[in-house]
Structures are given as C-alpha cells and as structure tokens.
Amino acid sequence: MFKTVEYKNGKVILIDQTRLPLEEVYVECDNYQDVAKAIKIMQVRGAPAIGVAAAMGVAIGAKNINAKDYNKFYDEFLKICDHLASTRPTAVNLFWAIERMKSVADKNKNKPVEHIKNILEKEAIKIREEDITINRAMGMNGQELIEDGDTILTHCNAGALATAGEYGTALGVIKVAHEMGKKIKVYADETRPFLQGARLTAWELVKEGIPVRLITDNMAGYFMGKGEINKIIVGADRIAANGDTANKIGTYSLSILAKEHGIPFYVAAPLSTIDIKITDGSKIPIEERNSQEVTHLSNKRIAPEGVEVSNPAFDVTPHKNINAIITEKGIIKPPFIKNIRNCF
Ligand code: MRU
C-alpha cells in the first residue's frame, strides 16, 4: 500500500502525485519551504492531505528555528505558518491544521523551546493518524446510504491520495462498501484540467480491484440519462455553515445534472473541512490556477498562443443540491444550518 504523506526522521515524505499513475516516486522534504512548494505545485493535494502536510511542514520549520527564547521562536514560527498558509486558498483544512499547530505552541509557551519543538512534531504525527481513523469512520457511516448493486459517480480524487492515506473521503465510503462485499461500480470523471480523476482516482480503484469506468466530464449527463448512475459521492475542500460546498471545478454542474435525473448527491468530508465561520458559499475563496493547465496537455500545447483562459480550480455547490454530508460524526441531513451547528 502506498503512503500519501508520512513523517520520518525529521522529514516529510510524500508520494509525488504529479508523477502518478506512470511513476510511483516519493519526494522528501527536510525544510518547510519544500513542503510549501510541494503543496503549491500539487505534489500533494486534496484538502485533508494538504492539512496533514502543512502541519508536518510547521513541525519541521519549528525544529529548524535557532532560538532559545520563546518570543523569538514564536516570531519565526509565525512566519513559517504564514508561508505555508499562502500556498493554496480554498481547502480550509490547510488553515485548520496550521491554527491547530499554533494553538499547541501557544498552550505550551511556558515550556523550554526544545520541548515545544518535540510537542509540535508529535502533534503533526497525531493529525495524520487522526485523519486515517476519521476516514475509516466516515466510510462506515456512509454505508447506510450505499446499497448492494449501486453504480456511483465520483469527481476529482477524494481517495487515500487526497487524505493522510488508506481510505479517503468519498472513495473511503466506496472502499468500505466494497470491503463489506457490496457489489458496487464506480464511474470516475477524468476531471479536467488537472485530471485527478483519470490519473489518481482510476489508479487507486484499479489498485484496489474496485470496478471503475473512466469517463470524460462531459459524458456524465449522458450516463445519468441512460439510468446507469444511481448515486454521486464527492469530497469537499470547504463547506460553509449552511452546507454550501466548494469542491473541484465541475462538481456544481454535476449537482444540477443529479437533480434533473433524481439522483442523490452526497458529499463526504471530515468536520475539519467545515468552515463554521463562513455563513455561505459566496465567502469561499476560489483558487485561480495557471492557464497552462488548460492550454497544455502533458506539457504539449493544445490551444492557440494568445488565447484568453480562465482556470478556476473549484466551484460551489449550493446546499439545496446536496442530499447529505457524510462525516466522521455521522450523516448530516438538511436543514444543514441547524444540523451542522449541532456537530460543533
Ligand atoms: O485541487 P485539489 O486536487 O487539491 O482538489 C481536491 C478536490 O477538489 C477533490 O475533489 C476532493 O474531493 C477534495 S479533498 C478530499
């Protein structure tokens, strides 16, 4: 089994997701700048995985600070946190993990700096372990929505690669169903422009022996119309307090297609993806990525020079299009405002 993100001997080790599925190689980061770069260029990606990697980046950065006095240490520490927080704007797990690391430093400020560094290292490792446990719980909780014989469509990659490892969020629900012997089939959207579905979801499911059919994004409506898809499960990068959900670009269109065809639309995400401070989806910052992701395929230009390009990496699915949010604490159903608040 591959490891998405690990902390070993003061290094963060990441499977390089930009090289999958053709090569299974690992990147080793022994300083926080390299971890930040890995997040930025998407060697590690997916909301929970970004959070875990960032926490480990904070721990490595703290280890390398050369200060005995807490105030001096904390000034440097905050710079490291800010640097890691500037890597990607949408997935709230990044900020959640960094805030958690900050509060651990804060709570222990009366201890010697060297001791604080060890506590931070342990916390980052704990965040990773917790994420794996949470994903498994989410996968189990999702089972009441999955029946034997279901054909489930998913978008982007919300598997082990998008989390600390093993299960994943949306794919976690699918993997547990498969483990329980439910005969399920998966349609995986290729997910233009970065192709997380073709490169990563298809790779994970083929590896697990779960029946998967890869389709281009614009085929989803065709297969829904033919009655071949009876459930949709996606992950999330940030969920507002009212249930509006930011996820990979194309998720919003899928939710409308699902409504039209009467197909239940589920989001699977840990509570750390819920940004309770944001009232609705309009407040979620949407990352605009490099136009080359659209104009090029495998570094080969496919669009004319000089063409104007838009490349928003995420869109927001309104809560009215979502039937349920699967979390580690259970399934949240509408009314989301009230039921999400009850989880915190
Ligand atoms: O840009 P990415 O690849 O980091 O975005 C990840 C997603 O949007 C996924 O769809 C995923 O569901 C959210 S993380 C489990």
Side-chain angles (χ1 to χ4, degrees):
M1 181 70 177
F2 62 91
K3 301 267 195 255
T4 305
V5 46
E6 269 194 301
Y7 191 88
K8 256 193 200 159
N9 309 323
K11 286 184 185 155
V12 183
I13 304 173
L14 307 160
I15 189 163
D16 186 347
Q17 300 196 29
T18 61
R19 310 269 290 270
L20 288 171
L22 303 180
E23 287 171 289
E24 198 174 322
V25 291
Y26 288 80
V27 190
E28 285 193 8
C29 308
D30 62 5
N31 60 73
Y32 76 90
Q33 292 95 334
D34 283 354
V35 177
K37 186 173 159 224
I39 296 173
K40 219 180 167 90
I41 66 172
M42 289 166 83
Q43 285 174 316
V44 60
R45 34 89 20 225
I50 292 170
V52 173
M56 292 178 175
V58 171
I60 288 192
K63 271 242 170 255
N64 294 338
I65 297 173
N66 219 341
K68 295 265 171 289
D69 166 73
Y70 180 78
N71 291 331
K72 278 197 194 131
F73 167 80
Y74 198 66
D75 280 353
E76 283 303 306
F77 177 77
L78 287 185
K79 282 186 205 150
I80 293 164
C81 292
D82 288 349
H83 184 80
L84 283 155
S86 70
T87 49
R88 296 195 68 189
T90 305
V92 76
N93 305 60
L94 171 70
F95 311 102
W96 170 88
I98 292 171
E99 283 311 311
R100 180 160 155 182
M101 296 298 279
K102 277 187 195 167
S103 80
V104 164
D106 233 31
K107 256 190 243 145
N108 291 286
K109 64 177 168 210
N110 295 326
K111 301 196 172 118
V113 166
E114 286 312 307
H115 194 161
I116 298 173
K117 291 179 181 179
N118 292 336
I119 295 173
L120 286 166
E121 198 170 42
K122 285 203 182 98
E123 189 70 13
I125 293 167
K126 192 164 153 212
I127 291 177
R128 176 184 180 273
E129 283 163 3
E130 278 176 14
D131 191 60
I132 292 172
T133 310
I134 281 170
N135 290 334
R136 165 96 197 149
M138 222 184 303
M140 294 298 291
N141 291 340
Q143 292 316 304
E144 76 176 69
L145 304 172
I146 309 299
E147 283 150 60
D148 198 18
D150 273 347
T151 300
I152 303 166
L153 177 104
T154 190
H155 190 66
C156 194
N157 172 266
L161 290 165
T163 63
E166 295 187 23
Y167 281 89
T169 56
L171 288 197
V173 176
I174 289 167
K175 287 180 191 175
V176 172
H178 177 76
E179 275 176 7
M180 290 172 83
K182 293 180 188 171
K183 296 227 171 338
I184 46 160
K185 281 189 260 156
V186 179
Y187 274 78
D189 275 352
E190 68 169 350
T191 318
R192 275 282 286 155
F194 207 61
L195 304 175
Q196 291 95 327
R199 295 188 299 106
L200 309 175
T201 299
W203 183 74
E204 274 195 44
L205 293 177
V206 166
K207 240 179 161 26
E208 297 267 348
I210 300 176
V212 56
R213 183 169 295 188
L214 178 65
I215 59 171
T216 64
D217 301 342
N218 49 4
M219 294 174 189
Y222 170 80
F223 286 112
M224 288 188 212
K226 285 182 66 141
E228 292 195 19
I229 291 162
N230 65 322
K231 258 149 222 176
I232 298 178
I233 312 182
V234 295
D237 291 84
R238 193 184 300 220
I239 302 173
N242 70 345
D244 291 352
T245 295
N247 192 51
K248 184 54 55 195
I249 192 77
T251 306
Y252 169 50
S253 329
L254 276 182
S255 77
I256 294 171
L257 281 171
K259 238 187 162 149
E260 171 68 21
H261 293 95
I263 298 170
F265 186 96
Y266 303 125
V267 172
L271 292 180
S272 55
T273 301
I274 301 181
D275 187 351
I276 205 77
K277 298 191 294 303
I278 285 187
T279 50
D280 63 78
S282 68
K283 319 268 184 333
I284 301 176
I286 301 295
E287 177 178 14
E288 179 73 24
R289 291 195 65 86
N290 194 324
S291 60
Q292 278 221 2
E293 287 178 2
V294 178
T295 55
H296 288 64
L297 265 183
S298 303
N299 290 325
K300 200 170 180 323
R301 178 172 277 282
I302 52 160
E305 296 270 4
V307 68
E308 252 185 61
V309 172
S310 283
N311 188 13
F314 304 94
D315 55 27
V316 176
T317 298
H319 61 91
K320 66 177 169 54
N321 293 1
I322 299 170
N323 295 78
I325 302 173
I326 304 160
T327 76
E328 69 273 30
K329 283 229 180 130
I331 295 177
I332 310 179
K333 291 203 172 137
F336 288 119
I337 297 194
K338 177 171 151 267
N339 293 339
I340 285 178
R341 206 185 309 122
N342 287 344
C343 291
F344 286 86

